[in-house]
Amino acid sequence: MGSAGHLSLVLLLAFLLGLHHSSGFWIVNVVFPPPAKPKVPSNSTPPLIIVPGNLGNRLEAKIDKPSLVHWLCYKKTEKWFPLWIDLNMFIPIGVDCWIDNIRLAYNRTTRRSSNSPGVQVRVPGFGQTYSIEYLDYNRLAGYFYTMVEHLVNVGYIRNETVRGAPYDWRVAPNENAEYLAKLQNLVEEMYNQYQEPVYLVGHSMGCHYVLYFLNQQPQAWKDKYIRGFISLGAPWGGAVKVLKVLASGENDGLSMISNLKIREEQRMVTTNAWMLPLEGIWPSDHVFISTPNFNYTTKDYQRFFKDIDNEEGWYMLEDTKNLTSDLHPPGVEVWCMYGMGLPTAVTNIYDEVFPNGDPVDFVYADGDGTVDTFSMSLCKRWVGKQEKPVHITEFRGLFHLDMVFHEKVLNQIQDILEGKSDTPTEVDVRTDTEYRRSGV
């Protein structure tokens, strides 16, 4: 690594150290993840697959580009290089190169996305855990490391009994058929190897991917191959934060990149449109974006995209809005776990510079600091709607990203894997108190 690489590493470290808990939906905010505490080995280690959230695994690229956005950008590479997280994105000029490499081009006619011209993108480490444990090759941006290490401490084996299922999180599942086929093959492979059904663990948007995957499978297949679905912090009704991301951008604390600059990339991925709050679930009069000229609800998405000069976003929404919006029960036993008790923005208030400036104020409701409780608690609708049980645990005082780190969550996952399905209905992580009550 040359001097530019050392500078990028220093900037990455400074960035990660400077971020706050509230940046959790786009997972780049943990440096040196907490270590897993020693545990007594368990005699029960049923096979487990982890599906990460948005931005939750590495991407790699190889380029041979017909043109450049800046003369300092690489035009061609012989080898695959890190695209997410790419250290060059933390250098002022490098961010333009990075955006041009990671962006998608959306075709309104075919209703399909493609990589930037001359760019190949691949997802490294399918079936392994390294790509979801740390998002960078310097092992600074930790994600599932603490959870995987906890599982290893109780007897799991990396890449054998616990495996990762990373994917191209830029695109929604309607454009990711190859991934869904690989996930099905991985489930069947682990079942055949260990002769017992598989647990699926999802975090945030990854839970929507799991739900979509399960709803594509026949019930007989699920009865045979899937033991249960552990859902962590799922925005079942969409995430209000996405409207701010699409309108004015969200750098999640990365001061070296302006919100408007990162907005270029954020508008080009179809998963952001997929994660918008859902019409028919949210109250029709709930205002998500308030401006001096107009208040936007779920009924106003077409105007919203026109007003922010991002009409492709409307087509992306039309393509993805029905993928999981009916919240059809997954047909397997579910443990739905999420944080609560923290102020979470549910309305973004802008002044006259909308959409080219940050919100000047917010309206808050209960949530995990990133996703509101109303959205995450919609899994309660599945209770009594499927034969398999649905268990709900609310973690009071727990931030969105901490769902994959906190000892209380990790211990509950361990209990589930050991067959102790009678989980508490509420856990207050601030007072270390658990509550159990009948019904949901």
Side-chain angles (χ1 to χ4, degrees):
M1 181 184 295
S3 58
H6 287 296
L7 174 61
S8 299
L9 181 57
V10 171
L11 291 173
L12 173 60
L13 181 59
F15 157 59
L16 291 169
L17 287 170
L19 284 171
H20 304 286
H21 278 294
S22 60
S23 341
F25 194 68
W26 287 266
I27 305 159
V28 293
N29 67 336
V30 173
V31 60
F32 309 133
K37 295 183 179 181
K39 295 290 178 180
V40 177
S42 170
N43 293 324
S44 177
T45 55
L48 175 69
I49 296 173
I50 300 173
V51 180
N54 196 6
L55 295 184
N57 56 257
R58 302 180 194 182
L59 299 178
E60 295 178 340
K62 184 190 290 186
I63 59 175
D64 185 3
K65 309 184 74 168
S67 61
L68 299 176
V69 294
H70 194 284
W71 66 272
L72 284 177
C73 300
Y74 284 108
K75 193 175 194 304
K76 183 177 181 178
T77 60
E78 299 298 330
K79 297 181 179 179
W80 294 91
F81 64 90
L83 181 62
W84 179 257
I85 292 178
D86 176 10
L87 294 178
N88 289 320
M89 66 182 287
F90 301 99
I91 300 175
I93 295 174
V95 68
D96 292 312
C97 309
W98 171 75
I99 288 175
D100 195 52
N101 288 338
I102 200 170
R103 70 179 178 89
L104 291 172
Y106 180 78
N107 187 309
R108 292 190 192 183
T109 302
T110 65
R111 311 297 281 263
R112 305 290 292 180
S113 303
S114 59
N115 291 318
S116 180
V119 178
Q120 301 177 62
V121 176
R122 71 179 184 184
V123 179
F126 184 84
Q128 303 179 60
T129 61
Y130 74 88
S131 181
I132 64 172
E133 290 192 57
Y134 286 94
L135 307 185
D136 68 305
Y137 287 80
N138 296 288
R139 294 171 62 86
L140 290 176
Y143 183 20
F144 271 104
Y145 168 76
T146 304
M147 181 183 294
V148 172
E149 191 69 10
H150 178 102
L151 293 168
V152 169
N153 286 345
V154 299
Y156 275 84
I157 302 174
R158 279 182 173 90
N159 310 327
E160 293 186 22
T161 47
V162 55
R163 304 181 72 174
Y167 57 97
D168 189 343
W169 36 259
R170 301 174 303 163
V171 295
N174 60 309
E175 296 190 74
N176 230 344
E178 181 180 355
Y179 169 76
L180 298 170
K182 290 171 65 175
L183 180 57
Q184 179 177 339
N185 290 337
L186 182 61
V187 168
E188 294 175 0
E189 174 189 327
M190 295 184 76
Y191 173 88
N192 292 330
Q193 182 174 357
Y194 299 107
Q195 290 300 299
E196 56 180 317
V198 177
Y199 281 91
L200 298 174
V201 173
H203 178 238
S204 199
M205 189 183 78
C207 299
H208 274 273
Y209 250 96
V210 173
L211 179 62
Y212 182 86
F213 169 75
L214 291 174
N215 283 338
Q216 304 306 303
Q217 309 301 328
Q219 188 61 48
W221 186 92
K222 291 183 282 192
D223 291 343
K224 177 177 181 180
Y225 290 107
I226 302 297
R227 173 60 186 86
F229 171 25
I230 302 173
S231 159
L232 305 175
W236 293 121
V240 176
K241 182 175 180 178
V242 175
L243 283 107
K244 177 184 180 297
V245 168
L246 294 172
S248 53
E250 175 57 73
N251 65 10
D252 277 319
L254 180 53
S255 58
M256 289 87 75
I257 304 176
S258 72
N259 285 333
L260 295 183
K261 174 61 69 174
I262 198 69
R263 182 180 70 178
E264 298 175 28
E265 183 274 335
Q266 292 168 333
R267 288 183 174 183
M268 295 174 184
V269 299
T270 64
T271 42
N272 278 334
W274 182 34
M275 289 295 102
L276 283 167
L278 302 175
E279 185 176 5
I281 289 182
W282 282 81
S284 60
D285 59 350
H286 181 92
V287 175
F288 296 102
I289 297 280
S290 178
T291 77
N293 297 319
F294 196 78
N295 291 328
Y296 299 89
T297 70
T298 56
K299 297 180 295 183
D300 305 305
Y301 279 138
Q302 189 166 15
R303 173 168 177 169
F304 168 74
F305 282 112
K306 182 178 180 180
D307 289 350
I308 67 172
D309 194 25
N310 179 32
E311 293 190 59
E312 283 80 7
W314 167 251
Y315 292 94
M316 294 179 188
L317 175 60
E318 288 290 289
D319 293 343
T320 59
K321 67 181 183 180
N322 294 323
L323 297 179
T324 50
S325 61
D326 62 355
L327 294 180
H328 185 76
V332 301
E333 189 166 2
V334 175
W335 290 266
C336 183
M337 301 149 66
Y338 51 88
M340 62 174 297
L342 300 167
T344 303
V346 293
T347 300
N348 302 278
I349 302 173
Y350 287 84
D351 59 18
E352 63 279 353
V353 301
F354 172 84
N356 296 318
D358 293 335
V360 296
D361 204 354
F362 302 92
V363 175
Y364 293 93
D366 188 80
D368 66 5
T370 299
V371 183
D372 59 276
T373 302
F374 170 77
S375 177
M376 293 184 291
S377 66
L378 289 171
C379 54
K380 293 179 180 180
R381 294 187 176 188
W382 296 335
V383 176
K385 298 293 179 63
Q386 62 172 32
E387 291 186 8
K388 300 296 178 68
V390 177
H391 314 271
I392 313 292
T393 304
E394 300 175 325
F395 288 83
R396 185 170 294 277
L398 196 60
F399 286 95
H400 187 74
L401 186 57
D402 285 347
M403 289 298 301
V404 302
F405 298 124
H406 199 278
E407 185 181 14
K408 281 287 185 181
V409 178
L410 301 183
N411 287 340
Q412 181 156 316
I413 291 174
Q414 181 182 344
D415 287 344
I416 293 168
L417 298 174
E418 292 176 353
K420 305 168 187 175
S421 61
D422 181 23
T423 53
T425 54
E426 183 179 332
V427 176
D428 192 327
V429 300
R430 300 165 298 186
T431 62
D432 199 26
T433 305
E434 295 187 359
Y435 303 92
R436 297 175 186 269
R437 57 184 181 268
S438 59
V440 176

